[in-house]
Amino acid sequence: MTTQVSIQNTINIRRQQGHDKANLLLQIWLVTWRSLTTIFRTPVALFPPLAISIFFLVIYESTLGGAAAFIPNLSGNSYLGFILPLSIVSSSLSGAGIAAQNMVRDIESGYFDKLLLTPISRAALLLGPILAGALILGIQASIVIGVALIMGLESATGFAGLLLVVGLAILLGTGFAGFTVSAALGSGSAAATQGASFIFFPLTFLTASFVPLELLDGWLKTAATFNPITYVLEAMRATLNSGWDAALIWQGVGACLLLGTAMFALAIFALRVRTRRS
Amino acid sequence: MSNREIKVQNLMKQYSGGVTAVDDVSFSVNSGEIFGFLGPNGAGKSTTIKILTTLALPSGGQATVGGYDVVHEADLVRRIAGVALQDIGLDPLMKSMELLSMQAQLFGATRQQAKTRASELIELVRLTDAVDRRVGTYSGGMRRRLDLALALVHKPDILFLDEPTTGLDPASRRDVWEEVRRLNKELGMTIFLTTQYLEEADELAERIAIIDKGKIAKRGSPAQLKAAVGKESINLAFDSRELAEKARAELSDMADNIQTDRDMVRLYMSQAAQTIPAVVNRLQAAQLNPISLTLTQPTLDDVFLQVTGQRINAEEEKEAAKVG
Ligand SMILES: Nc1ncnc2c1ncn2[C@@H]1O[C@H](COP(=O)(O)OP(=O)(O)OP(=O)(O)O)[C@@H](O)[C@H]1O
Ligand SMILES: [Mg+2]
């Protein structure tokens, strides 16, 4: 009873001072932790995307790897280091899917409304699932890299280069997650969100997927030039195959930030629409 | 003490489909009062609660909760109001302790305070045994109790409960009633509760409003409402609805108020017992033989029937007139 009273007093004091809510960082931490908890409580959902990424890696390497010698501009570098980034990018997509599924589950269960009734900030509400998804995909990317290492990958920039690749994957995945979370907020339905996630899938092919950018032609080259994934792939490839290239890395990071900012803005807008209370 | 009133004036809510869920509703709830909002399915109870707890915007009118405007001061309303919605919103993958302490922390409690508060509430709603289980494994009643605990995390001044005992067994229902009364008495919480159970409103509420098709049809204390229906009633059951309607026509001048509910006719009057012989005579003369005759003290059920049943009858009569 005494504790009860003292909490009430603290809350009253905070209320008077206008501080009766957690600060933004704590809010973000709380909702991210919550998302991670639920993600790890349904671990089976994590395996299929990881398996697909590894599957792609193995298939591309064994079917196209042999022909790599005939691809100009690649000579001397490994095709494994060239194709690994594509596999990692597609796992970033699935990480984004996880963030959105979390959001949809909350909307469907009504728990989302419960959170809206607390003094939580909109940014924290969005960042929770997005950051949790990003962390998951960071782990996934690391596992895919681990498999590539077993397959004989040699990083031109060593361990630090591998870390950079994981970092880029997380950044890119955050942008994707912004998009899928927007779809979740907009539709409130699992099926529609799943559908929206597939929009990004072709993007991984409308780019320098299997051969370097210079070898592309016509409309595909145009599409690839505007596709942010192209720059992320190039930064990752250079890092793995040829060495540090500051210009390419900044291009990759820039593309991720651009995509991420735009998608987070979209997510904020989608949240506004959902909570318009109409 | 803080302002714990609810004031609602000319509240309107029109959904985009064109449904008017709340139609010019006004009422006020005093500080520390238990107020019952009673109505059949689709009456507009949940919509009213959603507006008052800032989850929906009104299309017209004003409402303040604890002195704060539900549209312009939504943040402040959320700090002082707690709500357990009709559709329980719980994450099935989380455990009760996690849900409660996270909610408490979002409201500004420290980790330790949040833990303490969560344990208190778990004990309060008797979920101690299930504390380590995921909410997905809880029974419907357990979920409802946990949802109630979540509404109490930040010690609200004003508590909104949307059909809090639907789906509960009689024992759990009594527990909830007891808890509602305790919160009201010991902490002075204002409680706004909706229900379809007249018994519940009668049991808990000091004042009641009956809402039907978005409009307030009746309001007052349970006693006042019962008194308005008449002190006593004679209830006659017939073999068919037609016979009941005939009897109604035959007896219409004998009661202050007369209702039909399918094959039942209810005559409300102040001295029912003494009137029984006259009623029986009149029926015999008209060759209408009831299969049963009972005498009752009015309950809120009768009020409810009068309010919601009358309208159904009026519509049926219109329909009948069209056909005839
Ligand atoms: N989101 C919505 N969009 C359109 N119409 C709605 C929406 N929510 C409720 N309605 C309509 O508004 C009316 C009132 O609904 P409300 O949920 O407030 O009723 P209620 O009194 O809570 O009923 P119940 O006892 O069944 O819970 C109903 O006709 C319902 O169909
Ligand atoms: Mg309802």
Side-chain angles (χ1 to χ4, degrees), chain B residues 51-303:
Chain B
I51 294 172
L52 293 180
T53 54
T54 77
L55 283 171
L57 278 182
S59 338
Q62 274 112 44
T64 59
V65 169
Y68 300 122
D69 188 283
V70 295
V71 177
H72 304 294
E73 296 172 305
D75 276 353
L76 293 164
V77 171
R78 279 177 220 141
R79 311 267 161 102
I80 56 144
V83 59
L85 294 171
Q86 184 173 8
D87 299 318
I88 305 169
L90 296 173
D91 182 349
L93 292 175
M94 302 274 282
K95 298 171 183 175
S96 46
M97 190 70 176
E98 296 166 344
L99 283 171
L100 285 166
S101 59
M102 176 171 152
Q103 195 99 347
Q105 278 187 274
L106 286 175
F107 272 106
T110 66
R111 213 181 141 89
Q112 203 47 52
Q113 286 172 333
K115 281 239 166 80
T116 315
R117 181 83 185 124
S119 320
E120 272 170 24
L121 287 167
I122 284 168
E123 207 165 304
L124 184 83
V125 295
R126 263 162 273 197
L127 286 175
T128 317
D129 293 340
V131 73
D132 287 324
R133 273 162 49 192
R134 292 183 194 173
V135 172
T137 69
Y138 284 18
S139 74
M142 291 162 83
R143 270 177 235 192
R144 207 161 261 297
R145 274 159 26 219
L146 177 57
D147 201 49
L148 177 63
L150 272 168
L152 295 173
V153 159
H154 57 300
K155 295 244 167 172
D157 292 337
I158 300 171
L159 183 63
F160 293 88
L161 301 172
D162 198 356
E163 302 197 19
T165 62
T166 301
L168 295 190
D169 61 30
S172 306
R173 180 178 300 174
R174 297 226 158 251
D175 283 351
V176 169
W177 288 355
E178 216 167 279
E179 187 49 35
V180 165
R181 270 192 288 252
R182 200 187 69 83
L183 290 168
N184 174 254
K185 254 201 204 96
E186 290 180 14
L187 301 174
M189 238 178 240
T190 300
I191 295 170
F192 180 93
L193 115 156
T194 77
T195 180
Q196 295 185 36
Y197 303 116
L198 305 134
E199 185 197 0
E200 185 161 288
D202 201 4
E203 184 84 20
L204 292 174
E206 290 152 58
R207 285 190 309 138
I208 292 172
I210 298 179
I211 183 171
D212 188 32
K213 296 178 187 161
K215 286 188 192 297
I216 298 223
K218 266 250 151 60
R219 70 181 94 212
S221 68
Q224 279 170 343
L225 292 185
K226 283 185 223 166
V229 180
K231 276 198 178 114
E232 295 168 327
S233 71
I234 300 172
N235 313 308
L236 302 158
F238 289 90
D239 280 325
S240 69
R241 192 185 271 243
E242 290 72 40
L243 288 177
E245 289 296 342
K246 267 188 205 158
R248 179 192 176 148
E250 202 62 48
L251 300 169
S252 57
D253 61 312
M254 300 192 71
D256 304 337
N257 191 334
I258 186 162
Q259 303 289 324
T260 51
D261 176 21
R262 265 168 279 157
D263 52 359
M264 290 281 293
V265 181
R266 289 175 215 266
L267 291 88
Y268 297 96
M269 62 195 76
S270 39
Q271 293 194 311
Q274 289 89 322
T275 320
I276 289 177
V279 167
V280 170
N281 285 341
R282 179 80 67 89
L283 287 173
Q284 255 168 3
Q287 309 219 318
L288 288 163
N289 294 318
I291 50 177
S292 80
L293 185 155
T294 54
L295 184 72
T296 46
Q297 292 288 328
T299 64
L300 273 181
D301 269 299
D302 302 301
V303 181

Side-chain angles (χ1 to χ4, degrees), chain A:
Chain A
M1 211 56 210
T2 42
T3 38
Q4 207 166 321
V5 170
S6 68
I7 295 175
Q8 183 64 63
N9 288 344
T10 341
I11 292 177
N12 283 344
I13 292 161
R14 282 166 185 250
R15 199 173 277 171
Q16 280 153 21
Q17 295 169 342
H19 291 319
D20 57 339
K21 64 174 177 187
N23 67 50
L24 186 62
L25 279 181
L26 177 60
Q27 288 180 22
I28 293 173
W29 159 247
L30 285 171
V31 284
T32 307
W33 169 83
R34 208 281 301 188
S35 295
L36 282 173
T37 309
T38 54
I39 289 170
F40 282 114
R41 281 181 190 169
T42 43
V44 276
L46 297 176
F47 292 119
L50 184 61
I52 287 172
S53 293
I54 294 173
F55 175 79
F56 276 156
L57 183 65
V58 174
I59 290 291
Y60 290 153
E61 166 64 8
S62 54
T63 55
L64 297 172
F70 303 107
I71 303 175
N73 302 335
L74 196 68
S75 47
N77 299 322
S78 90
Y79 194 71
L80 186 60
F82 182 80
I83 206 70
L84 172 65
L86 185 65
S87 166
I88 290 177
V89 165
S90 49
S91 82
S92 305
L93 285 176
S94 57
I98 290 171
Q101 280 158 25
N102 250 309
M103 188 67 104
V104 169
R105 231 168 36 83
D106 283 352
I107 292 172
E108 283 178 347
S109 73
Y111 186 63
F112 192 72
D113 275 348
K114 195 127 291 176
L115 288 177
L116 282 180
L117 286 167
T118 69
I120 195 170
S121 85
R122 285 161 202 268
L125 211 51
L126 291 175
L127 280 172
I130 291 178
L131 292 181
L135 196 80
I136 297 293
L137 81 89
I139 296 171
Q140 283 182 342
S142 307
I143 295 174
V144 174
I145 288 176
V147 172
L149 287 172
I150 293 169
M151 288 168 66
L153 173 76
E154 277 174 42
S155 165
T157 49
F159 186 67
L162 295 179
L163 282 184
L164 175 76
V165 170
V166 173
L168 278 170
I170 291 178
L171 266 186
L172 182 66
T174 312
F176 289 153
F179 177 77
T180 51
V181 161
S182 306
L185 287 166
S187 67
S189 110
T193 306
Q194 198 96 46
S197 310
F198 277 118
I199 291 179
F200 271 117
F201 194 64
L203 279 189
T204 61
F205 294 101
L206 293 177
T207 179
S209 313
F210 304 106
V211 292
L213 186 61
E214 309 87 76
L215 294 188
L216 295 181
D217 222 347
W219 65 271
L220 189 55
K221 182 161 192 165
T222 318
T225 313
F226 288 103
N227 186 347
I229 292 176
T230 306
Y231 302 98
V232 180
L233 284 178
E234 288 203 327
M236 287 179 172
R237 282 169 178 169
T239 306
L240 290 174
N241 271 343
S242 39
W244 300 110
D245 183 332
L248 282 182
I249 292 172
W250 283 121
Q251 264 182 24
V253 172
C256 288
L257 290 182
L258 213 66
L259 180 76
T261 313
M263 291 307 145
F264 194 69
L266 181 67
I268 292 265
F269 171 74
L271 181 60
R272 282 254 159 80
V273 172
R274 171 152 289 275
T275 57
R276 206 171 38 197
R277 305 192 271 155
S278 63

